Amino acid sequence: MTMDAETQARFAAMLHHRSKGLAPGDPLVAGIVTSATYHAPDVEGLTRVYGRSGMPTWEALEAQLGLLEDAECVAFPSGMGAISAALFAGLAAGKRVIIPADGYYVTRLLSAQVLAAYGVDVVEVATRDIATADLSGAAVVYIETPSNPELEVCDIALVCARAHAVGAIVMVDNTTMTPLLQRPLDLGADVVVAADTKAPAGHSDVLFGHVASRDPAFIQKLRDWRRLSGGVPGSFEAWLVHRGIETLEVRLERMCASAMVVAGRLAEHRGVANVRYPGLSQDPSHAIARRQMSGFGFLIGFELPDAARAERFLTECPLIAQATSFGSTHTSGERRVRWGDAVPQGFIRLSVGLEPVEVLWAAIAGALEA
Ligand SMILES: Cc1ncc(COP(=O)(O)O)c(C=O)c1O
């Protein structure tokens, strides 16, 4: 992981972001404010009137995320809450959205089942084809890179240039990377969406999401969507994410380094096929990943010969939690075919956690032999 100097400085500033506004005797840590309403003898000029419009705990988190993204951020109660807000704010009946055919399956379901029913023209394009696909007629080009679960990568700057040339805006799901490993807004994207449920909160104990953009009009649309739809985050959840993000950089450092070791050894293991990790020099994603990512992440894809072998591996390995989701302290893994992803029966997505790498590898190697 080689975060540039500017991102490092941003992370350091983020750790101290509350200091400026503190009066002597104020608590150093953001509070969990649960008030649903505010003292409002007169509403004129008041920014906080009712809890659906704003909460001090979300505001602390949005300020923190804003420093990392170098953009204004709007918080949502889950990654899907953030994604649906961005898509509803950016689209309308009769508009076309291009979404990844191989991205997070719930985004595809949202598009096919909800956006299409509201008159949006939904077109699916595989991540590996988006840089050369015909984008004409699209209002929104939505990409996910690396994609979940196959870790395909596309060239964000190239997609943005091509999308902008036909008048489309670009939204990037940056969940698998976080703003510390990949900076889509700096590469030309208009909007970033992310599930902070994963590495940013980092402990599998909260669902959360955010949208980041440098376009004030788009940010206003998102805030309006949140207030009108009522899909607002809880203060306790915002507080957990605020706390989790403070250790994001050290956790990512360990997770990315371990993932590199595990991916390399899996690639050399005779019982394992088709290892996907953008950090491996032989991976089809490696060339673009090196250009646009400052770390290769903590997700690995690989295949065991069939469903039974893959299930046995997952059951036998004491250091792999058999669970969906990723980016947590513990290593976790699952067969993605169980969610309907178009992958082989024996395909496993592994999320590498914080276990010391040699202990983790010994457990993985042992389960592969089982
Ligand atoms: C790439 C990606 N985006 C978005 C989401 C949705 O996040 P959440 O589960 O917080 O709604 C997920 C969840 O797994 C994901 O993997």
Side-chain angles (χ1 to χ4, degrees), residues 76-83 103-107 142 144 146-149 173-176 193-198 206-209 299 324-326 334 336 349:
F76 289 92
S78 65
M80 284 315 302
I83 290 168
Y104 180 50
Y105 75 104
V106 182
T107 306
Y142 181 106
E144 190 181 297
S147 62
N148 169 22
D173 184 334
N174 203 32
T175 299
T176 53
V193 295
D196 298 305
T197 310
K198 315 297 179 186
V206 65
L207 290 164
F208 216 86
L299 289 175
T324 196
S325 199
F326 54 82
E334 66 171 337
R336 284 304 293 186
R349 184 191 69 195

Side-chain angles (χ1 to χ4, degrees), residues 232-246:
V232 297
S235 294
F236 184 62
E237 286 75 10
W239 183 85
L240 276 175
V241 179
H242 189 277
R243 185 181 200 266
I245 286 177
E246 295 195 341

